Amino acid sequence: MNILIVDDQKFVREAIKADLIESTLDHDFQTFEAEDANQGIEAIVANEGNIDLLILDLKMDHCDGMEVINFLSEHASYADIPLAVISSSDKRTLALVGSIASSLKLRLVGVFEKPINMDFILAETARLQRQHGHKMVVKSPGSVSDYDINQLLADEQVLLCFQPQIDMKNNAIIGFEVLARMYDENGYIYPDTFLPLIDKAGLNVDFTKIIVAKAFKFWAYEKTLSSYTLSINVTAEDLSCDNLIDYIIRHKQAHADIKLTLELTESQQIINQASVLNSIARLIINDIGISLDDFGKSYSTYERLDTIPFNEIKIDRYFVCDIDTNEQHHLIVESTIALAKKMSVSVVAEGIETESVLNILAELGCDIAQGYVYSPPIEGRYLTAWVNRYVHKDIAVNVR
């Protein structure tokens, strides 16, 4: 079986190959790699179309995956190569690309959000091969009735991914934000699907406890990560639960060396203000940092900055991602950074996808950067390897 991986990030290609080795694939396979669309096209031609699975990233630095898709559509001898499109783009973009690939009569395995589940993709590929010529529809989360959220939580079918946060002054790793994924036999279930289910079932606190326990266990086991901050999202509802606050504090006391920050998400209004403030005071007393997440979105208010002693503000990705082309967003980000400086709190910009945006943030004096320009969320099993590669690459640059 010949598998061609077209992705501009070496880390992603290595992760896919590692998954293939550990997969349920019963027969021999050979992998080919390409860093961009042009190399991918060259590999297809060099192999005379003898590719059993093409794993194609949509968003790459020098050229996008649509070039490969268009190439396949223009050459009948290559149009039947099973195609699995992978991307960090939003679901509407993924759906559009899937629709285009299907309309071009390509043999589409599916369109999958990163991080991907290779066992699932391989199973879909095998199914497509059995149904030779059948066009797959875009993969999307099932309806809410498809998932038994109580059972998933009872079985703790939760996977933690970590996205790096980088000091913009010296390019060093500051820490990692924990991003949860759930899974079942069909693969990943993403937050926009499972979080409403958890909320509806009244299991928010139970879910947060699982995340806290898994994150602390992983951080305590991976000693090389101890110098980095561990950031975990919490809601206002979480902070209103004394039992959960006790639970978090106990974990922190048991692992005093772990630098913990709780990111208060702005997706909900503050519930029971007095109770929340009491919880925040207890957390701070126990050396737990508090970050105001998604600043500028939804219910975020300046009043919170006045009443709650945050030590970090995170600017919502909606305002960050296009500051190189959107003047209004540029002004909002600039004023937020200036405000944070005057209040002596750190400011994190999330959702950074391009060098252009990164350079503007550096000029504005942003403290910490987070986004796909550095890395997508990384599964825990790959995190130490990613850190080693990043650190050694930085050392090599400094030596030169």
Side-chain angles (χ1 to χ4, degrees):
M1 184 177 192
N2 293 331
I3 300 175
L4 172 60
I5 306 168
V6 184
D7 195 299
D8 61 342
Q9 296 190 47
K10 182 177 179 180
F11 163 74
V12 174
R13 300 196 304 271
E14 292 297 325
I16 291 174
K17 289 192 294 182
D19 281 351
L20 286 169
I21 293 172
E22 297 179 4
S23 72
T24 56
L25 199 60
D26 292 329
H27 43 281
D28 293 334
F29 64 89
Q30 182 176 3
T31 57
F32 303 88
E33 298 180 52
E35 296 182 357
D36 57 37
N38 291 331
Q39 288 186 16
I41 291 170
E42 291 172 0
I44 292 170
V45 173
N47 283 277
E48 299 180 344
N50 185 26
I51 302 294
D52 300 293
L53 175 60
L54 168 56
I55 301 173
L56 175 66
D57 185 24
L58 274 184
K59 203 168 189 177
M60 294 179 279
D61 281 344
H62 303 298
C63 46
D64 58 63
M66 289 304 299
E67 293 190 30
V68 177
I69 290 174
N70 292 330
F71 172 81
L72 295 176
S73 70
E74 293 166 0
H75 297 80
S77 57
Y78 304 138
D80 63 348
I81 295 175
L83 172 65
V85 179
I86 63 175
S87 180
S88 58
S89 299
D90 62 84
K91 287 184 174 59
R92 288 181 298 178
T93 303
L94 298 182
L96 174 61
V97 172
S99 177
I100 292 171
S102 294
S103 68
L104 293 173
K105 302 187 183 305
L106 300 182
R107 192 178 296 184
L108 182 65
V109 175
V111 184
F112 306 89
E113 285 185 291
K114 292 180 178 179
I116 60 174
N117 184 317
M118 274 311 304
D119 276 333
F120 184 53
I121 291 178
L122 290 170
E124 289 299 304
T125 304
R127 185 158 72 94
L128 179 61
Q129 293 288 50
R130 289 194 298 270
Q131 302 173 347
H132 184 74
H134 175 66
K135 303 300 183 293
M136 301 293 294
V137 297
V138 177
K139 294 298 162 188
S140 59
S143 65
V144 293
S145 61
D146 291 336
Y147 300 111
D148 183 347
I149 199 66
N150 289 279
Q151 191 60 52
L152 288 173
L153 285 182
D155 295 340
E156 293 196 7
Q157 289 181 237
V158 179
L159 177 71
L160 299 190
C161 295
F162 303 85
Q163 190 167 38
Q165 298 176 332
I166 307 297
D167 188 324
M168 297 195 67
K169 292 185 179 65
N170 58 22
N171 218 34
I173 301 170
I174 291 289
F176 294 86
E177 178 184 359
V178 177
L179 298 168
R181 305 286 185 264
M182 299 194 75
Y183 61 92
D184 61 9
E185 66 277 6
N186 294 318
Y188 288 123
I189 308 169
Y190 287 87
D192 59 352
T193 297
F194 69 71
L195 287 180
L197 296 175
I198 289 173
D199 185 60
K200 183 178 180 180
L203 297 171
N204 294 292
V205 169
D206 301 79
F207 180 68
T208 302
K209 282 186 175 181
I210 292 173
I211 300 304
V212 169
K214 284 181 172 290
F216 265 87
K217 181 178 180 180
F218 180 76
W219 228 243
Y221 177 77
E222 297 289 348
K223 299 300 182 182
T224 57
L225 302 175
S226 61
S227 61
Y228 304 124
T229 299
L230 178 65
S231 295
I232 299 176
N233 289 291
V234 295
T235 66
E237 182 179 351
D238 287 333
L239 296 182
S240 297
C241 176
D242 290 338
N243 179 266
L244 176 59
I245 300 304
D246 291 338
Y247 186 83
I248 294 172
I249 290 174
R250 284 199 301 272
H251 274 77
K252 171 61 177 172
Q253 291 174 340
H255 303 279
D257 59 321
I258 294 179
K259 294 182 289 186
L260 176 65
T261 291
L262 297 181
E263 298 186 4
L264 176 57
T265 62
E266 287 292 275
S267 58
Q268 301 181 29
Q269 297 188 41
I270 288 279
I271 302 171
N272 192 343
Q273 182 81 17
S275 174
V276 170
L277 290 175
N278 183 278
S279 296
I280 289 175
R282 292 184 60 203
L283 293 167
I284 292 173
I285 290 169
N286 283 276
D287 297 322
I288 298 172
I290 304 295
S291 173
L292 178 56
D293 197 10
D294 300 332
F295 184 78
K297 180 183 177 183
S298 188
Y299 301 103
S300 179
T301 64
Y302 287 102
E303 181 182 358
R304 292 199 187 181
L305 292 177
D306 184 45
T307 58
I308 300 176
F310 294 102
N311 58 321
E312 179 181 276
I313 293 174
K314 293 191 73 174
I315 308 176
D316 184 67
R317 67 183 64 247
Y318 173 77
F319 300 110
V320 173
C321 66
D322 61 354
I323 58 174
D324 55 341
T325 57
N326 188 319
E327 180 61 26
Q328 185 170 334
H329 287 178
H330 184 287
L331 291 172
I332 290 171
V333 170
E334 182 178 23
S335 62
T336 302
I337 293 174
L339 175 63
K341 296 294 183 184
K342 290 181 179 180
M343 298 186 69
S344 299
V345 298
S346 296
V347 58
V348 180
E350 58 182 349
I352 306 170
E353 297 186 357
T354 65
E355 291 288 342
S356 175
V357 168
L358 188 65
N359 292 335
I360 292 172
L361 288 167
E363 292 173 1
L364 294 177
C366 183
D367 298 304
I368 301 169
Q370 178 179 343
Y372 278 76
V373 71
Y374 290 106
S375 174
I378 306 161
E379 279 192 42
R381 55 180 168 162
Y382 303 126
L383 188 56
T384 300
W386 183 90
V387 169
N388 289 335
R389 282 193 294 271
Y390 183 89
V391 171
H392 291 153
K393 177 182 176 182
D394 191 47
I395 291 173
V397 170
N398 290 332
V399 168
R400 289 199 299 270

